[in-house]
Amino acid sequence: MFNLVKKTSAAATVSLTALIASGAIATAGVSDIDVQAQIEAPQGSNALELYPTIEADLERALIDRITALSNDPADPTLTVKIKRVSLDGDTILPDSAEFNELEGYISFQGGSREVVDTIRLSAHTDESAVPEGYVSIAPSDADFYNALLTAFADSIIEKLPAEDIKPES
């Protein structure tokens, strides 16, 4: 039995090595994810004061979704620039730190195809959708923040070439 397992393991190792050498298995991935918050608003913005970790939080959400990461600087790069955080169009957020709009720019370079695009999200709670007799529980600011960042990261991933961000199976 041990010899059978040993022979099977050796054959599998030789086959896998041959596949990798032939290039049948893609080993490349995204080499750099750079998230920047460069809020531009004519009347100013306090979003970065209220959410100082927004860059790191979005970068973490993207890393969680991109399963092909690489250390090779020749592999594709993803740059995300958060341009606007607002509440119903107002970039001066209230003391409660509420916001429901997030806008940014993405640039994916060096992959199977170049992607340059803008992402705009707007989230609203619909109090009128609550059925009669039910109590409406509004999401907390943290829930809304996490939901918007998650949706923003998902929107970015949808625009990127799947072959560059997920390993072949």
Side-chain angles (χ1 to χ4, degrees):
M1 178 68 170
F2 178 70
N3 285 335
L4 175 64
V5 170
K6 205 163 70 170
K7 286 180 184 178
T8 305
S9 296
T13 302
V14 169
S15 297
L16 183 59
T17 303
L19 279 172
I20 291 171
S22 71
I25 295 178
T27 56
V30 177
S31 66
D32 186 37
I33 299 172
D34 181 25
V35 178
Q36 306 164 14
Q38 300 174 343
I39 309 294
E40 298 171 357
Q43 69 275 23
S45 176
N46 59 348
L48 295 180
E49 295 164 20
L50 297 170
Y51 295 103
T53 62
I54 194 167
E55 292 173 344
D57 295 341
L58 181 56
E59 186 170 323
R60 194 174 312 107
L62 289 167
I63 288 170
D64 288 347
R65 287 160 176 72
I66 296 176
T67 54
L69 297 173
S70 164
N71 291 324
D72 185 348
D75 285 340
T77 61
L78 172 62
T79 303
V80 179
K81 294 182 181 177
I82 300 170
K83 297 295 216 178
R84 182 180 167 138
V85 177
S86 60
L87 177 63
D88 296 326
D90 189 358
T91 57
I92 302 294
L93 303 179
D95 291 340
S96 63
E98 294 175 81
F99 74 96
N100 64 351
E101 296 171 342
L102 188 58
E103 183 178 328
Y105 162 85
I106 63 170
S107 173
F108 185 74
Q109 305 292 319
S112 58
R113 67 180 165 80
E114 200 173 285
V115 177
V116 177
D117 210 341
T118 299
I119 299 197
R120 292 181 181 103
L121 292 182
S122 181
H124 299 276
T125 56
D126 185 4
E127 296 289 329
S128 66
V130 178
E132 187 175 330
Y134 284 79
V135 175
S136 173
I137 301 171
S140 71
D141 293 340
D143 292 336
F144 227 74
Y145 175 81
N146 290 329
L148 276 165
L149 283 187
T150 299
F152 201 77
D154 289 343
S155 296
I156 291 169
I157 295 302
E158 287 175 10
K159 294 183 178 289
L160 303 182
E163 61 271 15
D164 292 327
I165 62 170
K166 306 223 184 257
E168 291 181 17
S169 18

